[in-house]
Amino acid sequence: PNVVIEGARIGPGYDTGVAVTTTVLPSSSGCNARVTASELVGNWYGIFALGCGAGTGEVPTGLTVGGAGPESGVLFEGMRHGGLGAGVLLWGCVARAHIRGATFRDGDIGVQIDQRTPPPGFPRGYETLVEGSSFRALRTAGVRLWRAPPAVHLEGNEFRAVEGPGVLLDDHGDVRSPEVHARRNRFSGPALMVRGSHPFRGHIDLGSETDAGHNVFAFEDGRPWRPLVELHVAVAAEAFTVAGNTWPTRHGAPGAGVIVSSAGVSGGR
Protein backbone atom coordinates (compact mmCIF):
# COMPACT_ATOMS: atom_id res chain seq x y z
CA PRO A 1 0.00 0.00 0.00
CA ASN A 2 1.00 3.59 -0.55
CA VAL A 3 -1.43 4.91 2.09
CA VAL A 4 -1.90 3.40 5.57
CA ILE A 5 -4.54 4.55 8.07
CA GLU A 6 -4.31 2.92 11.49
CA GLY A 7 -5.88 3.71 14.85
CA ALA A 8 -8.05 6.53 13.50
CA ARG A 9 -11.58 7.62 14.40
CA ILE A 10 -13.27 9.41 11.52
CA GLY A 11 -16.68 11.04 11.90
CA PRO A 12 -19.41 11.81 12.52
CA GLY A 13 -20.68 14.28 9.98
CA TYR A 14 -18.66 13.65 6.82
CA ASP A 15 -19.98 12.80 3.38
CA THR A 16 -17.06 10.35 3.03
CA GLY A 17 -14.68 9.33 5.78
CA VAL A 18 -11.86 8.05 3.51
CA ALA A 19 -11.63 8.57 -0.27
CA VAL A 20 -9.39 6.16 -2.19
CA THR A 21 -8.89 7.75 -5.58
CA THR A 22 -6.46 8.76 -8.35
CA THR A 23 -4.65 11.54 -10.16
CA VAL A 24 -3.61 12.02 -13.77
CA LEU A 25 -1.18 14.89 -13.14
CA PRO A 26 1.74 14.94 -13.71
CA SER A 27 1.18 11.27 -14.57
CA SER A 28 -1.49 8.69 -13.84
CA SER A 29 -1.31 7.03 -10.43
CA GLY A 30 -3.83 5.39 -8.13
CA CYS A 31 -4.13 5.00 -4.39
CA ASN A 32 -3.58 1.56 -2.85
CA ALA A 33 -4.88 2.04 0.69
CA ARG A 34 -4.87 -0.07 3.84
CA VAL A 35 -7.17 0.81 6.75
CA THR A 36 -6.78 -1.08 10.05
CA ALA A 37 -7.77 -0.79 13.72
CA SER A 38 -9.99 2.23 13.07
CA GLU A 39 -13.54 3.46 13.58
CA LEU A 40 -15.65 5.23 10.98
CA VAL A 41 -18.84 6.52 12.57
CA GLY A 42 -21.84 8.56 11.49
CA ASN A 43 -20.97 9.47 7.90
CA TRP A 44 -22.74 8.87 4.58
CA TYR A 45 -19.94 6.57 3.43
CA GLY A 46 -17.09 5.16 5.47
CA ILE A 47 -14.65 4.42 2.64
CA PHE A 48 -15.30 5.36 -0.99
CA ALA A 49 -12.85 3.77 -3.47
CA LEU A 50 -12.80 4.40 -7.21
CA GLY A 51 -10.44 4.68 -10.15
CA CYS A 52 -12.93 5.70 -12.84
CA GLY A 53 -16.55 6.69 -13.23
CA ALA A 54 -16.06 10.25 -12.00
CA GLY A 55 -13.56 12.90 -12.98
CA THR A 56 -10.75 12.22 -15.47
CA GLY A 57 -8.83 9.04 -16.19
CA GLU A 58 -9.15 5.28 -15.74
CA VAL A 59 -6.56 4.27 -13.17
CA PRO A 60 -6.60 1.10 -11.03
CA THR A 61 -6.93 1.55 -7.26
CA GLY A 62 -6.79 -0.95 -4.39
CA LEU A 63 -8.19 -1.25 -0.88
CA THR A 64 -7.45 -3.47 2.11
CA VAL A 65 -9.61 -3.19 5.23
CA GLY A 66 -8.47 -4.98 8.40
CA GLY A 67 -5.65 -7.45 8.87
CA ALA A 68 -4.69 -10.85 10.19
CA GLY A 69 -5.97 -10.50 13.77
CA PRO A 70 -9.11 -9.14 15.45
CA GLU A 71 -7.16 -6.15 16.74
CA SER A 72 -6.83 -5.00 13.13
CA GLY A 73 -10.58 -4.91 12.50
CA VAL A 74 -12.42 -1.78 11.43
CA LEU A 75 -15.78 -0.61 12.77
CA PHE A 76 -18.31 1.01 10.43
CA GLU A 77 -21.28 2.36 12.38
CA GLY A 78 -24.20 4.61 11.50
CA MET A 79 -23.54 4.99 7.75
CA ARG A 80 -26.82 6.40 6.47
CA HIS A 81 -27.84 8.29 3.36
CA GLY A 82 -31.45 7.71 2.35
CA GLY A 83 -31.06 3.91 2.44
CA LEU A 84 -27.88 4.00 0.31
CA GLY A 85 -25.22 4.92 2.84
CA ALA A 86 -22.45 2.32 3.04
CA GLY A 87 -19.51 1.36 5.18
CA VAL A 88 -17.47 0.58 2.05
CA LEU A 89 -18.46 1.78 -1.43
CA LEU A 90 -16.47 0.37 -4.36
CA TRP A 91 -16.90 2.14 -7.69
CA GLY A 92 -15.25 1.56 -11.07
CA CYS A 93 -11.65 0.45 -11.63
CA VAL A 94 -11.02 -0.83 -8.11
CA ALA A 95 -8.63 -3.56 -9.17
CA ARG A 96 -8.45 -5.29 -5.78
CA ALA A 97 -10.49 -5.07 -2.59
CA HIS A 98 -10.00 -7.23 0.52
CA ILE A 99 -12.17 -6.67 3.58
CA ARG A 100 -11.32 -8.79 6.60
CA GLY A 101 -12.65 -8.80 10.17
CA ALA A 102 -14.77 -5.67 9.79
CA THR A 103 -17.95 -4.82 11.71
CA PHE A 104 -20.80 -3.09 9.90
CA ARG A 105 -23.71 -2.10 12.10
CA ASP A 106 -26.63 0.28 12.54
CA GLY A 107 -26.66 1.77 9.03
CA ASP A 108 -27.99 1.30 5.50
CA ILE A 109 -25.52 -1.03 3.72
CA GLY A 110 -22.32 -2.72 4.83
CA VAL A 111 -20.49 -3.11 1.50
CA GLN A 112 -21.83 -1.73 -1.77
CA ILE A 113 -20.10 -2.69 -5.03
CA ASP A 114 -20.93 -0.65 -8.12
CA GLN A 115 -18.12 -1.28 -10.57
CA ARG A 116 -20.21 -1.54 -13.72
CA THR A 117 -18.57 -2.60 -16.98
CA PRO A 118 -14.81 -1.88 -17.03
CA PRO A 119 -13.59 0.56 -19.68
CA PRO A 120 -12.02 -0.89 -22.86
CA GLY A 121 -8.62 -2.38 -22.18
CA PHE A 122 -9.05 -2.43 -18.40
CA PRO A 123 -8.28 -5.80 -16.76
CA ARG A 124 -11.46 -7.78 -16.18
CA GLY A 125 -10.15 -10.22 -13.61
CA TYR A 126 -10.40 -8.00 -10.57
CA GLU A 127 -12.25 -9.41 -7.57
CA THR A 128 -13.56 -8.50 -4.14
CA LEU A 129 -13.09 -10.68 -1.04
CA VAL A 130 -15.10 -10.10 2.14
CA GLU A 131 -14.21 -12.48 4.96
CA GLY A 132 -14.68 -12.87 8.70
CA SER A 133 -16.86 -9.79 8.95
CA SER A 134 -20.06 -9.02 10.85
CA PHE A 135 -23.13 -7.36 9.36
CA ARG A 136 -25.76 -6.33 11.92
CA ALA A 137 -28.80 -4.05 12.09
CA LEU A 138 -28.54 -2.79 8.50
CA ARG A 139 -31.56 -1.32 6.76
CA THR A 140 -31.04 -2.13 3.06
CA ALA A 141 -28.56 -5.03 2.79
CA GLY A 142 -25.37 -6.47 4.19
CA VAL A 143 -23.66 -6.59 0.77
CA ARG A 144 -25.25 -4.93 -2.26
CA LEU A 145 -24.03 -5.65 -5.78
CA TRP A 146 -25.29 -3.11 -8.29
CA ARG A 147 -24.61 -2.98 -12.01
CA ALA A 148 -22.41 -5.92 -12.98
CA PRO A 149 -19.55 -6.04 -10.51
CA PRO A 150 -16.83 -8.67 -10.95
CA ALA A 151 -16.49 -11.85 -8.91
CA VAL A 152 -17.29 -11.43 -5.23
CA HIS A 153 -16.16 -13.95 -2.62
CA LEU A 154 -17.91 -14.09 0.77
CA GLU A 155 -16.18 -16.31 3.32
CA GLY A 156 -16.93 -16.81 7.01
CA ASN A 157 -19.15 -13.76 7.52
CA GLU A 158 -22.15 -13.34 9.81
CA PHE A 159 -25.34 -11.58 8.72
CA ARG A 160 -27.78 -10.90 11.55
CA ALA A 161 -30.76 -8.59 12.09
CA VAL A 162 -30.43 -7.14 8.59
CA GLU A 163 -33.81 -5.72 7.52
CA GLY A 164 -33.07 -6.37 3.86
CA PRO A 165 -31.26 -9.47 2.57
CA GLY A 166 -27.74 -10.36 3.59
CA VAL A 167 -26.71 -10.22 -0.09
CA LEU A 168 -28.66 -8.15 -2.62
CA LEU A 169 -28.02 -8.50 -6.37
CA ASP A 170 -29.73 -5.42 -7.70
CA ASP A 171 -30.16 -4.13 -11.29
CA HIS A 172 -27.29 -6.23 -12.63
CA GLY A 173 -27.57 -5.00 -16.23
CA ASP A 174 -28.23 -6.67 -19.56
CA VAL A 175 -24.65 -7.49 -20.61
CA ARG A 176 -23.15 -9.53 -17.82
CA SER A 177 -23.96 -10.33 -14.24
CA PRO A 178 -21.78 -10.86 -11.19
CA GLU A 179 -20.33 -14.09 -9.91
CA VAL A 180 -21.00 -14.61 -6.22
CA HIS A 181 -19.18 -17.32 -4.28
CA ALA A 182 -20.25 -17.87 -0.66
CA ARG A 183 -18.63 -20.29 1.79
CA ARG A 184 -18.97 -20.76 5.59
CA ASN A 185 -21.26 -17.77 6.11
CA ARG A 186 -24.08 -17.62 8.63
CA PHE A 187 -27.32 -15.92 7.61
CA SER A 188 -29.92 -15.29 10.32
CA GLY A 189 -32.91 -14.09 8.34
CA PRO A 190 -33.22 -13.28 4.62
CA ALA A 191 -29.96 -14.31 2.96
CA LEU A 192 -30.11 -13.56 -0.77
CA MET A 193 -32.30 -11.56 -3.11
CA VAL A 194 -31.88 -11.22 -6.88
CA ARG A 195 -33.92 -8.51 -8.54
CA GLY A 196 -33.68 -6.20 -11.54
CA SER A 197 -35.00 -5.57 -15.03
CA HIS A 198 -33.01 -8.26 -16.91
CA PRO A 199 -32.45 -12.02 -16.61
CA PHE A 200 -29.52 -12.98 -14.41
CA ARG A 201 -26.53 -14.06 -16.51
CA GLY A 202 -23.93 -14.56 -13.82
CA HIS A 203 -23.34 -17.36 -11.33
CA ILE A 204 -24.52 -17.69 -7.75
CA ASP A 205 -22.39 -20.34 -6.07
CA LEU A 206 -23.54 -21.12 -2.54
CA GLY A 207 -21.91 -24.54 -2.72
CA SER A 208 -21.44 -27.28 -5.30
CA GLU A 209 -21.27 -31.07 -5.33
CA THR A 210 -17.47 -30.94 -5.28
CA ASP A 211 -17.10 -27.91 -2.99
CA ALA A 212 -19.73 -27.78 -0.24
CA GLY A 213 -20.91 -24.33 0.79
CA HIS A 214 -20.98 -24.93 4.56
CA ASN A 215 -23.21 -21.88 4.85
CA VAL A 216 -25.80 -21.84 7.63
CA PHE A 217 -29.25 -20.42 6.91
CA ALA A 218 -31.67 -19.78 9.77
CA PHE A 219 -34.87 -17.95 10.55
CA GLU A 220 -34.51 -15.16 13.09
CA ASP A 221 -36.24 -15.72 16.41
CA GLY A 222 -39.08 -13.34 17.11
CA ARG A 223 -39.26 -11.90 13.59
CA PRO A 224 -41.99 -12.49 10.97
CA TRP A 225 -41.17 -15.35 8.61
CA ARG A 226 -39.59 -14.35 5.32
CA PRO A 227 -38.02 -16.58 2.66
CA LEU A 228 -34.28 -16.94 2.97
CA VAL A 229 -33.67 -16.76 -0.80
CA GLU A 230 -35.81 -14.70 -3.19
CA LEU A 231 -35.34 -14.75 -6.96
CA HIS A 232 -37.31 -12.08 -8.79
CA VAL A 233 -35.65 -12.48 -12.20
CA ALA A 234 -35.00 -15.46 -14.42
CA VAL A 235 -32.03 -17.52 -13.22
CA ALA A 236 -30.90 -20.62 -15.10
CA ALA A 237 -30.46 -23.81 -13.09
CA GLU A 238 -26.76 -24.08 -13.92
CA ALA A 239 -26.24 -20.52 -12.64
CA PHE A 240 -27.53 -21.24 -9.14
CA THR A 241 -25.90 -23.93 -6.98
CA VAL A 242 -26.68 -24.39 -3.29
CA ALA A 243 -25.13 -27.73 -2.27
CA GLY A 244 -23.67 -28.64 1.10
CA ASN A 245 -25.39 -26.07 3.35
CA THR A 246 -27.43 -26.18 6.55
CA TRP A 247 -31.09 -25.19 6.16
CA PRO A 248 -33.82 -24.84 8.78
CA THR A 249 -36.75 -27.22 9.01
CA ARG A 250 -40.14 -25.67 8.28
CA HIS A 251 -43.56 -27.23 7.77
CA GLY A 252 -42.07 -30.66 8.43
CA ALA A 253 -39.49 -30.62 5.63
CA PRO A 254 -35.98 -29.18 5.50
CA GLY A 255 -35.90 -26.05 3.41
CA ALA A 256 -39.60 -26.04 2.55
CA GLY A 257 -40.65 -22.53 1.61
CA VAL A 258 -37.12 -21.24 1.96
CA ILE A 259 -36.33 -20.54 -1.71
CA VAL A 260 -39.05 -18.48 -3.36
CA SER A 261 -39.16 -17.66 -7.07
CA SER A 262 -41.55 -15.22 -8.68
CA ALA A 263 -40.02 -15.13 -12.17
CA GLY A 264 -40.33 -18.59 -13.70
CA VAL A 265 -36.82 -19.46 -12.62
CA SER A 266 -35.42 -22.58 -14.19
CA GLY A 267 -34.46 -23.89 -10.76
CA GLY A 268 -31.43 -24.49 -8.58
CA ARG A 269 -29.46 -27.41 -7.31
Side-chain angles (χ1 to χ4, degrees):
N2 53 24
V3 174
V4 177
I5 299 174
E6 184 174 3
R9 180 179 173 89
I10 302 174
Y14 295 107
D15 290 1
T16 300
V18 176
V20 179
T21 184
T22 69
T23 185
V24 294
L25 297 174
S27 60
S28 296
S29 63
C31 183
N32 181 15
R34 182 173 67 200
V35 182
T36 64
S38 297
E39 297 181 355
L40 293 99
V41 179
N43 308 307
W44 286 359
Y45 306 103
I47 301 174
F48 181 11
L50 74 162
C52 60
T56 302
E58 298 166 349
V59 184
T61 58
L63 175 64
T64 300
V65 175
E71 69 281 355
S72 300
V74 178
L75 170 66
F76 299 88
E77 184 175 58
M79 303 297 161
R80 298 189 185 90
H81 184 40
L84 296 176
V88 175
L89 173 59
L90 303 175
W91 257 30
C93 298
V94 178
R96 178 194 52 79
H98 186 181
I99 301 167
R100 176 190 295 177
T103 298
F104 301 90
R105 70 187 185 203
D106 193 23
D108 292 335
I109 301 169
V111 177
Q112 173 152 302
I113 308 171
D114 174 14
Q115 296 198 338
R116 313 192 184 194
T117 300
F122 194 86
R124 303 181 68 90
Y126 54 102
E127 297 182 339
T128 299
L129 170 62
V130 182
E131 64 173 337
S133 296
S134 173
F135 298 82
R136 293 174 176 265
L138 299 171
R139 174 183 174 189
T140 303
V143 176
R144 183 179 184 230
L145 282 59
W146 193 73
R147 294 258 187 117
V152 177
H153 299 266
L154 305 173
E155 299 182 5
N157 303 290
E158 181 182 25
F159 299 83
R160 188 175 185 87
V162 178
E163 291 185 33
V167 180
L168 174 60
L169 280 65
D170 203 359
D171 192 15
H172 40 271
D174 60 351
V175 178
R176 65 189 183 102
S177 301
E179 295 184 9
V180 180
H181 306 270
R183 296 293 186 273
R184 296 175 296 281
N185 301 283
R186 181 176 182 87
F187 298 91
S188 297
L192 172 71
M193 179 185 292
V194 183
R195 67 185 185 187
S197 54
H198 303 90
F200 184 81
R201 295 187 174 90
H203 184 205
I204 301 170
D205 175 13
L206 305 183
S208 66
E209 295 178 357
T210 58
D211 182 16
H214 297 295
N215 300 292
V216 177
F217 300 86
F219 296 108
E220 287 189 279
D221 294 336
R223 286 177 174 254
W225 178 84
R226 293 171 60 188
L228 298 182
V229 176
E230 294 185 67
L231 308 175
H232 295 284
V233 299
V235 180
E238 61 271 14
F240 180 40
T241 58
V242 292
N245 301 294
T246 300
W247 298 87
T249 299
R250 185 170 177 81
H251 301 314
V258 169
I259 300 177
V260 175
S261 164
S262 59
V265 179
S266 301
R269 58 183 180 182

